[in-house]
Amino acid sequence: MGLSEFQLIERFFVRNARYDGSVDLGIGDDAALISVNPGQSLAVTTDTLVEGVHFFSGANPESLGHKALAVNLSDLAAMGAEPRWASLALTLPQSDPSWLSGFAQGLFELADVWAVRLIGGDTTQGPRSITVHAMGTVPKGDALLRSGARPGDVIYLTGSVGDAGLGLMTERKEAECGDDAVLRRLHRPDPRIAVGLRLRGLATACIDVSDGLAADLGHVLRLSQVGAVIDWHALPLSAAVKAYVDETGDWELPLRCGDDYELCFTVAAADVATLEARLAGLPDPCTRIGSINGSGTLDVVRDSGAMEFPLSGYEHFS
Ligand code: ADP
Ligand code: MG
C-alpha cells in the first residue's frame, strides 16, 4: 500500500535532529526559516537527477539518495563553502515505502557526515525525478570562483579521474571492467568538501569535475581568460582506468568523461608549499597536473607530443 503525500514526508523526511541553532523553522510550514550570520555569504546550488537521463530506471534507491545530495555538496565544495542546509523536491510515479526508505537512508547518511539539515522540499507524482537544493556558508570574499586563474598558476586535481566514466561504460556494456570500484565512483561520488574548505583564501580558481576534466577546466580557462598545459602522464588514474587505457588506447577518457566529482583548482606558484602543507593531513589525495598560461587553449602533453584538446563536455539539448 502506498503512503499519502503527508504520511510519506512525515515518515521519511521529517527528522528532529538539530545540529546547530541556525534553523528557526524546519519542515512543516509554508517555508523554512534559517539564520545566516552577517559576514558570511550564502552559497546556493541546485541539481536535478532525472530517470533515463542521469540514472537508469531500477537504479538502487540508496545510491540515488546519496548521489542526489553528493552532486550538490560537490558544488558547495567547489565554492569553498561549508554545507549547512538542503531541500528536496521529489517526483515519484508511486509512493513505494521500500524505495523511499532506501532513498532516505542514502540521503541522510551523507547529510549526517557533513551535518547538513533537510529543511523542506516538495513531493509530487510523476516520472521519477530528484532535485536537491543545497545551501552553505562561506566568509564574505573567501569563496572560490572559476574566474581567478592567472598565468603561472599551478593546476591541481583531487582523487582520480575517469573512474565514473569507465563505470558508466561498463554499465552500458561499452567496456569491460572487473573492478567494482568504478561503479562505486559512478553511483556514490564522494564530495571533496574538506579540500574545498582548506582552499579558502588560497586557491585562485576552483571547479568540480562533473562534465569532464577538459570541459570543466575549460570553464575556468574561459572565465579567467587564460589557457593551460596539462601533463597527461601526471593525471591521477586508478588501476582500472590505467588498464582500460592500456588495452584500448582510449587515452582521452580521463579528460572527456564526467561524474567523478573531483575538484580541479589553481594556486599561485608561490603558494604551492602553503597549499601542500594545508592539505597534508587530509585523506583526499591531490595531484599537480599542469599549469596556467596565457594561450587561451587547453594543451595536453603526452609522450607523442603536445596537442590542443577540445573544451567540450556533455551538454543537454545539443
Ligand atoms: P506547500 O503546499 O505549502 O508547498 P507542502 O504541502 O508541499 O507545502 O509541504 C509541506 C511541508 O513539507 C513543507 O514544509 C515542505 O517544505 C515539506 N516537504 C514537502 N516535501 C518534502 C520532501 N520531499 N522532503 C522534505 N520536506 C518536504
Ligand atoms: Mg509544496
Side-chain angles (χ1 to χ4, degrees):
M1 239 288 284
L3 299 158
S4 76
E5 176 187 340
F6 296 106
Q7 286 171 326
L8 177 168
I9 296 165
E10 185 63 38
R11 174 147 161 213
F12 294 106
F13 299 114
V14 176
R15 301 204 319 175
N16 296 316
R18 292 189 73 98
Y19 298 103
D20 60 34
S22 67
V23 179
D24 305 321
L25 189 64
I27 293 174
D29 214 305
D30 294 313
L33 298 173
I34 54 180
S35 291
V36 182
N37 292 336
Q40 290 186 319
S41 289
L42 189 64
V44 178
T45 185
T46 301
D47 262 298
T48 296
L49 302 181
V50 177
E51 185 169 272
V53 179
H54 301 94
F55 59 90
F56 299 108
S57 74
N60 178 285
E62 211 182 314
S63 296
L64 285 175
H66 175 99
K67 187 163 179 174
L69 182 61
V71 298
N72 280 277
L73 298 191
S74 178
D75 281 325
L76 294 181
M79 298 302 289
E82 178 190 346
R84 307 281 295 278
W85 311 282
S87 71
L88 167 69
L90 202 51
T91 303
L92 302 171
Q94 68 271 328
S95 67
D96 170 1
S98 96
W99 190 93
L100 280 156
S101 161
F103 178 86
Q105 191 179 332
L107 181 98
F108 284 116
E109 255 173 32
L110 179 62
D112 289 347
V113 171
W114 298 103
V116 172
R117 288 194 65 189
L118 185 69
I119 58 169
D122 196 26
T123 306
T124 50
Q125 187 167 26
R128 198 181 312 274
S129 160
I130 306 153
T131 298
V132 170
H133 181 83
M135 287 160 280
T137 50
V138 55
K140 278 191 203 294
D142 275 0
L144 310 173
L145 310 185
R146 297 176 174 184
S147 53
R150 295 292 169 260
D153 287 358
V154 176
I155 306 172
Y156 281 87
L157 186 64
T158 60
S160 62
V161 279
D163 301 83
L166 182 56
L168 183 61
M169 290 168 73
T170 305
E171 289 229 320
R172 288 181 174 158
K173 312 255 186 279
E174 295 165 4
E176 258 181 62
C177 176
D179 189 345
D180 283 349
V182 297
L183 294 177
R184 197 178 157 79
R185 285 291 304 273
L186 175 65
H187 297 304
R188 296 241 168 190
D190 188 13
R192 301 288 186 183
I193 294 160
V195 175
L197 292 175
R198 293 198 189 193
L199 297 179
R200 285 176 176 176
L202 191 60
T204 52
C206 184
I207 193 165
D208 68 322
V209 181
S210 53
D211 294 335
L213 179 59
D216 289 315
L217 180 56
H219 295 312
V220 169
L221 302 186
R222 263 190 297 272
L223 285 163
S224 302
Q225 297 183 290
V226 293
V229 179
I230 281 183
D231 174 6
W232 190 88
H233 301 282
L235 288 177
L237 306 182
S238 67
V241 169
K242 264 195 202 112
Y244 165 83
V245 171
D246 287 346
E247 264 163 46
T248 62
D250 182 12
W251 61 271
E252 296 180 19
L253 173 117
L255 293 162
R256 181 185 70 226
C257 289
D259 253 7
D260 285 310
Y261 298 97
E262 298 295 355
L263 294 184
C264 179
F265 58 92
T266 55
V267 289
D271 289 330
V272 160
T274 310
L275 172 86
E276 295 191 355
R278 269 204 210 174
L279 299 181
L282 295 181
D284 320 72
C286 271
T287 309
R288 196 172 163 153
I289 61 166
S291 58
I292 298 291
N293 59 33
S295 69
T297 58
L298 172 62
D299 297 297
V300 176
V301 179
R302 295 171 62 235
D303 279 346
S304 49
M307 64 163 287
E308 189 180 329
F309 199 87
L311 298 177
S312 50
Y314 183 80
E315 282 184 56
H316 294 269
F317 304 115
S318 62

